[in-house]
Amino acid sequence: MDMEEWEQRHKEAFYDAKEALPYLDGMFVAYNSNIDAIRHLDEEALTKLIGFFDEAEIQERVAVYPREIADPLDFIARLLIAMREGKAAEVPTYTEEIHTWLKEHLGFDYARMGGQAGIISNLLARLDLKKVVAYIPWLSAEQAEYFEDNGNILHPKVENGEVVLKPPSEAFNPGMGSKVNWIFEFSKDLKVSCAGSTFKVPRDNRLIISSRPKWIRLDMDRAIYDQLETIFPVDGAMLSGYQMIKEEYEDGSTYKDYVEHSVEVINKLKSLNPDLRIHVELTSIQNRVIRKAILTEIVARHVHSLGLDTVEVANALNVLGYEELSYSVIRKGENGIMSLYQGAVQLMKDLKLERVHVHSLGFYICILAKGHPLTLKEHRDALLFSSVLAASRALHGKIEDLNEAETGLDVPVSAQGLEDLETFKLYCTGRKLCSPDEFEYGYIYGSDHDAILIPSKVVDRPKATVGIGDTISAGAFAAMLARMKQIKSGK
Ligand SMILES: Nc1ncnc2c1ncn2[C@@H]1O[C@H](COP(=O)(O)OP(=O)(O)O)[C@@H](O)[C@H]1O
Ligand SMILES: O=P(O)(O)OC[C@H]1O[C@](O)(CO)[C@@H](O)[C@@H]1O
Ligand SMILES: [Mg+2]
């Protein structure tokens, strides 16, 4: 694969997407947003943090591998695990204490929009979409301040029983508290010493402490559900946040009730626009019961498109019963990309999806069901567009507008990403999945699926990494839908 060729393809794709985006009438985005309290950890801060604990106790807690943060020891243990493994992780906490402890013992550098739906709403608004309808069941006054205010983000609000669309700053629930997550970002090569062992962080990464206040319900207000037609016209829906669902609630309800409501919302959206396409963006979900329910009860058969990173592919395969394949994706050995590809194909088949878009550092894979509209080139262009957005977000820590996003074109395509794809070429041509020429274009024609592979742009020292995956998925999904609308309009 020729680097210069891919740089040129990124350029053409960016300008084509910019031309197509105005054809979109709008996008519906729900459910989760929060305030991300972001803290970059350098050696000094880490040493200070570890100093608050008995190192032997840390080591013991690391061995427990806590699935939620109940006290500061759980936190430091999961932090060291994330640093050592280099795997993106999100761990829930159900107590306010850890927030207080972190504020008192560490503090954060800056706060900004968090949550897949929050990040995606702001990104789409910055891409100048005509309309972004955001729906956050727990929209507080403080949270509303984190939405872009360039006028194209609207939020449903019930006024005297009638649902109207208002800017988030006029649609919040006055009594609602705010959901604050802590994000610990740490850079490649950070040296970590604890309890006699020393290691270096293998890649830029982050740990998310996801706060789960008691009042959180992943559900849609009944009046808004009943008058859902008020959000239209929209061409697509990007849904996420299902990880908020708990197995059991104090009132006796269980996750099954919230899964059922989530499917009702999806079915109603589709009934209001049969052409509507629905994308679900995943995150790491610690609870395996909930992870499996999201995949097999909400995503499977109801949703068209799924966005996820490599760790989430492995975690999904694991709960779907493909332990071996899951392990080989995580192990990232020389067969890593093959297992990732096979795993993504398996997800498309098992979950009856049209599209599975996997983002990895340095390349993206998009699996497509046969008969999916658009040519492989048009799907490839959507991915290339999102690669430019990712570069711009990694460079600046945000996307101001399409002009700033264009600076992403100056970021080089990842040489490592190209190399990873080259190792995959032999597998594909060997199995007659594509000719060597087709591979050079990044096109794969399987017997029961097609696929796109692109090397992506990678920023050497990113400002922050959290939210880049959400940006990639949203940029590609929006560009794909925009191209479909542009063709429909006769262009
Ligand atoms: N320095 C970087 N430059 C460009 N892209 C990056 C960089 N770091 C991470 N990415 C992209 O961001 C993705 C992170 O995705 P994910 O873990 O889903 O993040 P999040 O869910 O926080 O948005 C990676 O898979 C990679 O494609
Ligand atoms: O699961 P939660 O608490 O909604 O948090 C999702 C987390 O994932 C992100 O959206 C990144 O994908 C963060 O901004 C956010 O903290
Ligand atoms: Mg993600």
Side-chain angles (χ1 to χ4, degrees):
M1 289 182 154
D2 173 60
M3 178 75 88
E4 208 19 65
E5 189 63 59
W6 283 106
E7 292 294 359
Q8 187 52 33
R9 288 169 183 166
H10 270 88
K11 217 176 256 107
E12 285 162 19
F14 182 82
Y15 294 115
D16 288 350
K18 203 172 158 184
E19 221 174 281
L21 284 170
Y23 283 88
L24 284 176
D25 290 324
M27 188 80 80
F28 177 61
V29 187
Y31 291 84
N32 64 322
S33 81
N34 58 264
I35 294 163
D36 273 350
I38 298 182
R39 176 64 201 251
H40 285 256
L41 289 177
D42 56 17
E43 262 176 60
E44 186 191 342
L46 186 58
T47 308
K48 180 184 165 202
L49 249 184
I50 293 174
F52 290 123
F53 301 91
D54 171 312
E55 294 194 16
E57 284 181 7
I58 295 177
Q59 202 170 28
E60 274 164 40
R61 193 60 64 90
V62 166
V64 168
Y65 200 94
R67 291 262 168 189
E68 65 175 76
I69 308 290
D71 61 24
L73 253 183
D74 284 339
F75 156 67
I76 192 72
R78 282 306 301 256
L79 179 64
L80 292 178
I81 290 168
M83 286 180 161
R84 189 181 58 208
E85 288 180 347
K87 270 170 50 182
E90 169 178 339
V91 189
T93 183
Y94 298 95
T95 75
E96 277 295 301
E97 276 150 55
I98 197 65
H99 180 64
T100 313
W101 190 89
L102 287 167
K103 244 181 3 182
E104 284 166 4
H105 291 77
L106 201 63
F108 55 87
D109 302 324
Y110 52 92
R112 61 179 205 183
M113 174 62 88
Q116 285 82 11
I119 289 173
I120 290 172
S121 301
N122 279 350
L123 169 79
L124 296 176
R126 288 287 175 188
L127 295 182
D128 281 340
L129 255 60
K130 284 193 195 88
K131 178 176 74 169
V132 178
V133 179
Y135 177 62
I136 313 293
W138 49 85
L139 185 68
S140 68
E142 188 185 14
Q143 179 70 71
E145 290 165 18
Y146 286 80
F147 281 93
E148 301 296 348
D149 60 0
N150 44 345
N152 53 352
I153 298 186
L154 296 171
H155 193 287
K157 182 180 184 182
V158 186
E159 283 181 343
N160 312 318
E162 288 301 304
V163 174
V164 291
L165 295 181
K166 298 261 183 171
S169 56
E170 298 167 36
F172 61 82
N173 172 342
M176 187 60 79
S178 287
K179 178 183 179 330
V180 179
N181 288 358
W182 284 75
I183 314 284
F184 295 94
E185 296 254 356
F186 36 91
S187 302
K188 184 171 167 1
D189 298 334
L190 173 70
K191 196 157 70 62
V192 184
S193 305
C194 180
S197 86
T198 301
F199 61 87
K200 277 195 171 183
V201 167
R203 53 163 278 194
D204 293 342
N205 195 10
R206 89 290 162 124
L207 170 69
I208 295 171
I209 309 296
S210 164
S211 66
R212 304 283 167 94
K214 283 197 175 25
W215 36 263
I216 286 270
R217 291 291 180 277
L218 201 286
D219 210 353
M220 181 175 275
D221 176 290
R222 193 74 218 168
I224 292 170
Y225 174 82
D226 289 341
Q227 299 172 50
L228 202 51
E229 65 282 358
T230 48
I231 70 167
F232 284 80
V234 290
D235 308 289
M238 297 197 76
L239 306 177
S240 56
Y242 296 114
Q243 63 274 16
M244 283 311 111
I245 297 174
K246 291 196 302 186
E247 285 189 64
E248 285 160 8
Y249 292 84
E250 296 70 36
D251 64 3
S253 59
T254 72
Y255 71 93
K256 293 190 170 78
D257 301 298
Y258 292 92
V259 165
E260 191 185 315
H261 296 179
S262 300
V263 173
E264 282 168 5
V265 168
I266 288 170
N267 289 337
K268 181 145 191 191
L269 285 167
K270 292 197 285 195
S271 70
L272 289 163
N273 172 3
D275 292 337
L276 187 84
R277 274 189 161 71
I278 299 180
H279 174 93
V280 162
E281 187 63 20
L282 279 190
T283 187
S284 70
I285 304 161
Q286 294 294 322
N287 182 310
R288 293 168 58 83
V289 170
I290 301 302
R291 192 193 307 162
K292 183 167 184 179
I294 292 169
L295 292 165
T296 58
E297 307 300 324
I298 299 178
V299 171
R301 299 180 312 284
H302 301 115
V303 156
H304 303 93
S305 172
L306 184 65
L308 67 178
D309 70 18
T310 51
V311 174
E312 291 148 15
V313 170
N315 293 345
L317 292 167
N318 195 288
V319 291
L320 294 175
Y322 305 98
E323 283 83 3
E324 210 29 57
L325 188 52
S326 166
Y327 179 64
S328 70
V329 169
I330 277 290
R331 200 178 46 222
K332 274 201 171 62
E334 69 292 341
N335 294 343
I337 189 165
M338 274 165 246
S339 307
L340 185 64
Y341 178 88
Q342 288 163 351
V345 172
Q346 201 61 55
L347 292 182
M348 186 207 66
K349 286 180 190 166
D350 286 21
L351 305 180
K352 308 265 183 297
L353 292 160
E354 271 188 356
R355 178 178 183 271
V356 177
H357 176 186
V358 181
H359 44 267
S360 179
L361 189 63
F363 64 85
Y364 307 160
I365 295 176
C366 187
I367 310 293
L368 295 158
K370 286 290 186 190
H372 190 286
L374 296 187
T375 63
L376 291 196
K377 180 181 181 308
E378 288 161 333
H379 278 288
R380 188 187 72 183
D381 288 350
L383 263 58
L384 290 166
F385 173 65
S386 72
S387 165
V388 179
L389 297 181
S392 179
R393 179 159 172 126
L395 211 51
H396 308 296
K398 60 176 176 52
I399 300 265
E400 192 57 37
D401 54 31
L402 271 167
N403 293 332
E404 186 193 69
E406 204 167 321
T407 58
L409 285 171
D410 303 332
V411 173
V413 166
S414 159
Q416 182 58 53
L418 263 175
E419 210 179 292
D420 292 340
L421 291 181
E422 278 305 325
T423 63
F424 188 49
K425 181 172 182 176
L426 222 57
Y427 169 90
C428 295
T429 48
R431 280 167 176 66
K432 303 267 179 286
L433 283 175
C434 60
S435 67
D437 274 0
E438 286 160 342
F439 190 86
E440 291 305 320
Y441 285 101
Y443 303 151
I444 288 183
Y445 300 91
S447 55
D448 52 4
H449 69 278
D450 294 334
I452 309 284
L453 304 168
I454 70 153
S456 62
K457 291 174 173 282
V458 173
V459 168
D460 207 16
R461 305 300 288 172
K463 193 142 191 279
T465 62
V466 68
I468 304 181
D470 302 338
T471 300
I472 293 165
S473 293
F477 187 66
M480 177 195 79
L481 288 182
R483 180 61 188 139
M484 290 162 86
K485 290 294 294 288
Q486 189 180 32
I487 291 170
K488 224 168 141 183
S489 74
K491 286 283 175 310

